[in-house]
Amino acid sequence: MKHIFAAITLILLSLAVFAEQPALDSNHSKLPPLTLNMADGTNIKTQELLGQPYVLHFWATWCPYCKKLQPALQKIHNMGLNVIAVSFKEDDNAFPAKALTNRGYTFKTAIQADEIATQLGIRGTPTTLFINENGHVVWVTHSSNPDNTNLYLNARTLINSINTK
């Protein structure tokens, strides 16, 4: 009986994990062309990122859940996947890039992205988008759990898509 219970539990957990993880294909929505205003004064156009997968992490300096998730995003960045933190809903005196640097993170920071978040229908923090090399959003998560295995599964899938070409 214990083995049956364990097998059923494993099957249900597997279904839960894979239910969040869509296959990489062109049926997913394409990210519209965006211009991200970076904290260093430059701009990044998402059209220029075509050909490489990346992650957009919508967050705010006041968000404790974002702070909890960001160590995982740094690990994903260190794995070789471009992570861009996109700050929105900020207080007037916030310095998002400085907050990330002070926390030891090295991924780039876009600022004042309220209009972009609205355009994409993003309301809450954290919201993290995994985008493939064709510019399609292949996975969206609101998780703040840095141990969420789906974060790493999706990151590896995107990284492997680069390495197999």
Side-chain angles (χ1 to χ4, degrees):
M1 187 66 166
K2 286 183 182 179
H3 295 301
I4 292 173
F5 179 73
I8 290 171
T9 302
L10 285 174
I11 290 169
L12 291 175
L13 285 172
S14 296
L15 289 173
V17 167
F18 290 108
E20 280 190 76
Q21 182 183 358
L24 293 177
D25 64 37
S26 60
N27 292 329
H28 293 89
S29 62
K30 186 157 181 138
L31 194 70
L34 303 170
T35 300
L36 302 170
N37 299 317
M38 305 308 290
D40 65 5
T42 62
N43 292 325
I44 292 179
K45 295 180 186 287
T46 55
Q47 292 299 103
E48 295 169 357
L49 297 174
L50 290 175
Q52 60 180 308
Y54 58 98
V55 173
L56 292 180
H57 167 58
F58 286 82
W59 73 294
T61 55
W62 49 262
C63 172
Y65 304 105
C66 302
K67 187 176 183 178
K68 182 179 174 186
L69 177 64
Q70 289 167 348
L73 296 174
Q74 182 63 48
K75 287 178 186 176
I76 288 169
H77 182 71
N78 292 346
M79 290 167 56
L81 190 58
N82 189 13
V83 174
I84 302 170
V86 184
S87 174
F88 77 115
K89 292 187 175 184
E90 287 293 0
D91 297 327
D92 290 337
N93 60 348
F95 295 98
K98 185 176 181 180
L100 290 178
T101 300
N102 288 346
R103 295 175 190 166
Y105 305 131
T106 59
F107 39 87
K108 294 182 179 187
T109 309
I111 57 172
Q112 301 169 341
D114 293 77
E115 284 183 36
I116 289 172
T118 300
Q119 180 182 357
L120 297 176
I122 295 171
R123 292 186 212 128
T125 59
T127 299
T128 308
L129 286 66
F130 285 67
I131 301 154
N132 71 11
E133 68 276 3
N134 298 318
H136 291 111
V137 178
V138 296
W139 190 56
V140 178
T141 182
H142 303 285
S143 175
S144 63
N145 179 1
D147 298 320
N148 182 337
T149 56
N150 285 325
L151 291 169
Y152 300 101
L153 284 171
N154 282 283
R156 276 194 227 79
T157 300
L158 289 175
I159 291 168
N160 289 339
S161 73
I162 303 168
N163 296 335
T164 59
K165 293 184 179 181

